[in-house]
Amino acid sequence: MALLPNSGAMRAGMRWLTHLRTEEVSRLRVLFTHHGRYSDLTPAQYADGLAWLRRIELVGRDGRLAPAVSRRGHADEHGLVAAVLEATCPSWLTSGDWPLNGSAELPREAVALAAALEITEADVGAAALAVRCQVDTSMRELVGAVGERELLALLRRSLDAEVRHVAAESDGYGYDIEVSGPRWPAVHLEVKTTTDRSRLVVYLSRHEYETMRRDGAWTMVAVLLGFRGELVATATVDPVWLLRARPYDSHAAARWESVRLVVPPHALRWGISGVCVWSRDAAATAVLVPEASHRHFPWCGASGGG
């Protein structure tokens, strides 16, 4: 990571990124220099940290944050580390078969980054995977396949129902998984997998949208993966919000076929709607609607499931 400074300057840089959302450079310089809470770093390290952020264009000369930081919407460590990785793009991030290769090991440079910033290796790994998926189409496809596989396994071990992976049979269904069983209507799950804990971005095809309009059983489910490919949490996207958010065809000769949507917190709720009626026991329900999901999905503002 040639573009990363020493550990003190990196920690200082992360503090600048966090506080520049609400304060100006001049006020923060005084705060970092005189407040005891920040005295673990020297004024020189704070100066080096700000200079580094300006070199990698995360902070402008006017002291404003770059869009790469501002668009993430949360001042959490995951989002800030992701912004740093986007700006520096270390070679290990875009080469080889890392991540989701079944290995528990992070690249040595990523481990060093976690140690320097005093955060967990899992947080660095998750941020790195989110950035990798933004720049690598094949990785996005792999992450999507892993998300479906992990969700299928979760549903099959948690529900007393038939869980069918219809996407493996045909692309024509307009959803990925069908859950059906006695006494209750079937549920059709369109699975959107993410590795980004700072925001939820989904891509909705025209075919998926048309299926949603005519199929009352259609449900969009977001699956969050950890950096080793494990399922961390699930959330359901509000179909009413999806219907309102989709674009309109503005001309008879023009038709949208796919749309990128940033899903706001108010349009999400924990768990997978409609499937818990088949839960084998309370433990299974707890897995589908995890109590601790708010730790994993900071962009999800609602609660519930069912």
Side-chain angles (χ1 to χ4, degrees), residues 29-53:
R29 189 176 284 116
V30 173
L31 177 68
F32 292 154
T33 303
H34 295 94
H35 197 291
R37 181 180 178 182
Y38 304 103
S39 61
D40 58 323
L41 299 177
T42 67
Q45 288 173 316
Y46 284 114
D48 289 344
L50 182 59
W52 167 59
L53 295 177

Side-chain angles (χ1 to χ4, degrees), residues 86 100-101 126 134 151 176-177 179 207 225 236 245 257 261 301:
E86 284 179 356
L100 292 184
N101 58 3
Q134 291 178 21
L151 182 58
D176 300 305
I177 297 173
V179 182
H207 179 48
L225 295 182
T236 299
E257 292 297 335
L261 301 171

Side-chain angles (χ1 to χ4, degrees), residues 206 247-256:
R206 185 64 178 246
Y248 291 88
D249 296 327
S250 58
H251 190 277
R255 172 187 167 96
W256 70 270

